[in-house]
Amino acid sequence: MSEPFSVPVTVRGYETDTQGHLNQSVYLNYAEHARWSLLQAAGISQAGLVASGVGPVALETTIRFRRELLAGDEVTVSCVFEWSEGKTFRIRQVVTKADGAVAAEIDAVGGLMDLSERRLVADPRQRFKELAAEPELFGL
């Protein structure tokens, strides 16, 4: 297996709560940023997805908070897709501080929706292979 795809993020002051911690909802934004960055790096744009008649959907997300993040902290947000034989896939993400400490683990279940049928496509793995210029970034 290759190294997980990751993006750097700096925690901004306006993203913190009254205790100075990164607000819980912002972790979802960081995870989403990493996922879209992976799609872009693999050669899949949002416009390209829509033009092909599909779009990613989030079906379930779990966040495990491990260490606090404060304004100015530098982190990396990783992204690994795990494929099954069904209509869904799992995305495992880790938010890691500059010192190597894990700040959060984010596990999500997603799918690829057919935008005209409004149903999940039967084989999202195959569709990503067809759409991506670099499918290996998805572990394909």
Side-chain angles (χ1 to χ4, degrees):
M1 182 172 163
S2 62
E3 287 294 310
F5 179 86
S6 64
V7 294
V9 177
T10 301
V11 176
R12 294 164 290 252
Y14 63 83
E15 297 173 322
T16 60
D17 59 21
T18 57
Q19 290 86 19
H21 302 135
L22 183 64
N23 183 279
Q24 63 182 341
S25 66
V26 179
Y27 287 85
L28 294 174
N29 290 337
Y30 288 3
E32 186 81 1
H33 172 64
R35 291 192 299 268
W36 279 107
S37 295
L38 170 54
L39 287 168
Q40 191 85 29
I44 302 173
S45 68
Q46 190 171 11
L49 284 169
V50 172
S52 70
V54 296
V57 293
L59 302 170
E60 175 183 316
T61 304
T62 303
I63 305 173
R64 283 176 291 291
F65 302 101
R66 302 293 188 199
R67 297 282 186 278
E68 67 181 357
L69 290 178
L70 306 172
D73 282 349
E74 302 283 337
V75 300
T76 58
V77 184
S78 67
C79 189
V80 174
F81 278 63
E82 294 179 356
W83 303 96
S84 66
E85 297 302 318
K87 295 180 180 183
T88 63
F89 48 87
R90 187 168 295 280
I91 306 169
R92 301 212 187 263
Q93 297 183 263
V94 179
V95 179
T96 306
K97 297 173 72 162
D99 66 3
V102 172
E105 298 167 323
I106 303 161
D107 291 326
V109 175
L112 202 54
M113 180 182 285
D114 180 306
L115 297 176
S116 61
E117 296 290 323
R118 308 307 287 179
R119 296 193 180 278
L120 295 178
V121 300
D123 189 354
R125 179 188 347 198
Q126 182 59 36
R127 189 63 70 95
F128 274 109
K129 278 185 188 177
E130 294 166 359
L131 291 168
E134 295 188 48
E136 61 276 5
L137 291 176
F138 294 104
L140 300 172

